[in-house]
């Protein structure tokens, strides 16, 4: 019998597996596909909630864990896996925000550096090449990013280095529950036994739990993104204007995202959205007009009310836990959520 089974091999599941293994538990991680290949792979990797002052205190508390812990975690993953997740504290510039007071109060409360920037020339000093039509911004120099595809590869390599067992292409068909106590899961027709099960299935979490009473309000929310093929140094800061952002990668590529689409489990892309993203990117940073769009993709975020993740015990079934619903903030909330979920499981 395994000490804990984790259902879902995305960022939340892999980070939770590491935390539980560090505490001495024998862990089995099950994923319906390949580890980290859903929203964990598809996202932008900004290590801050977008407009963090709009979120409740609980979200910001978990986000601060990520802000403080990711530099060390990134190095640890690199050492274990040989894959650099490209932690990069390049700063985030928020353009033409009308929420200066709320942002200033947030920064003071959470001890984050924030500067109000007035005038396009001052914006150009921070981010050369920004479009001339913008006249003010909120500059947060300590906001970092990670490159999602490399992060999930590094996490998988870390699981290998730590000897954590995982099974890919192993969809969970049902939970085994007797007298309101979890006893395992059935996946691919085989029963895996454990008295502790953590659901970390991202956008699929509610589907996994639909027959077991306490179903979290998690639904898939599609986000389409594109990436431009630039050169190192073309763009050196992240920039955000409402729901559109640009993220520079170390190799010069520039990611532009993202849409918010309530279309169920449909991950298709459309040329009209690609054109919309390209145009919005150019409106922020005109030099993109001369760059090739190299790739266009979509991911399914685990949407939740107000973006507040579900981290805790199932209300009706002993030994069943949930770590899901991180919506647009899966990376920045990932390590703090994993530590909270692991702490609950270990203490019970």
């Amino acid at each position: 019998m395994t000490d804990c089974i984790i259902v879902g091999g995305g960022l939340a599941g892999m980070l939770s597996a590491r935390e539980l293994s560090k505490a001495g538990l024998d862990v089995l991680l099950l994923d319906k596909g390949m580890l980290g290949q859903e929203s964990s792979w598809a996202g932008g990797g900004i290590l801050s909630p977008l407009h963090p002052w709009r979120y409740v205190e609980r979200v910001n508390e978990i986000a601060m864990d990520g802000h403080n812990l990711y530099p060390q975690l990134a190095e640890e993953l690199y050492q274990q896996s040989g894959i650099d997740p490209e932690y990069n504290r390049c700063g985030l510039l928020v353009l033409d925000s009308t929420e200066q007071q709320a942002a200033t109060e947030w920064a003071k409360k959470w001890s984050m550096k924030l500067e109000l920037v007035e005038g396009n020339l001052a914006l150009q000093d921070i981010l050369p090449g920004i479009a001339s039509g913008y006249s003010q911004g909120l500059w947060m120099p300590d906001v970092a990013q990670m490159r999602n595809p490399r992060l999930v590869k590094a996490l998988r390599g870390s699981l290998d280095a730590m000897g954590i067992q995982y099974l890919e292409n192993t969809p969970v068909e049902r939970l085994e529950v007797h007298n309101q106590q979890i006893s395992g899961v059935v996946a691919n027709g085989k029963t895996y036994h454990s008295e502790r099960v953590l659901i970390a299935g991202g956008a699929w979490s509610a589907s996994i739990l639909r027959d077991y009473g306490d179903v979290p309000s998690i639904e898939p929310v599609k986000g389409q993104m594109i990436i431009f093929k630039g050169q190192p140094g073309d763009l050196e800061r992240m920039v955000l204007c409402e729901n559109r952002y640009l993220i520079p990668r170390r190799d010069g590529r520039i990611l532009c995202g993202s849409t918010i689409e309530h279309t169920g489990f449909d991950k298709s892309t459309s040329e009209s959205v690609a054109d919309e993203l390209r145009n919005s990117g150019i409106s922020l940073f005109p030099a993109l007009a001369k760059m090739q769009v190299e790739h266009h993709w979509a991911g399914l975020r685990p949407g939740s009310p107000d973006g507040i993740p579900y981290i805790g015990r199932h209300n009706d079934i002993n030994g069943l836990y949930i770590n899901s619903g991180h919506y647009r903030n899966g990376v920045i909330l990932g390590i703090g959520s994993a530590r909270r979920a692991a702490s609950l499981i270990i203490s019970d």
Side-chain angles (χ1 to χ4, degrees), residues 3 12 23 36 45 67 78 93 106 128 142 165 181 199 273 298 327 344:
D3 291 329
H67 178 75
Y78 188 13
L93 181 63
W106 166 84
D142 287 340
Q165 185 181 6
Q181 169 66 50
I199 305 299
V273 170
Y327 194 26
L344 280 174

Side-chain angles (χ1 to χ4, degrees), residues 5 29 33 73 88 105 132 138-139 145 153 168 170 176 187 194 206-207 250 253 259 262 266 274 281 292 339:
I5 293 172
L29 182 64
L73 176 60
N88 180 10
E105 291 172 356
S132 60
L138 299 170
W139 169 233
Q145 56 150 308
K153 288 179 182 178
E168 298 176 304
T170 308
E176 288 285 277
S194 180
S207 300
R250 286 184 184 172
R253 288 178 170 85
T259 61
H262 296 269
D266 170 27
Q292 173 191 354
R339 289 196 167 192

Side-chain angles (χ1 to χ4, degrees), residues 47 61-71 331-333 335-336:
L47 293 181
E61 284 177 352
I62 303 171
M64 285 301 115
D65 284 348
H67 178 75
N68 294 323
L69 295 172
Y70 266 120
V331 179
I332 182 57
L333 302 182
I335 184 60

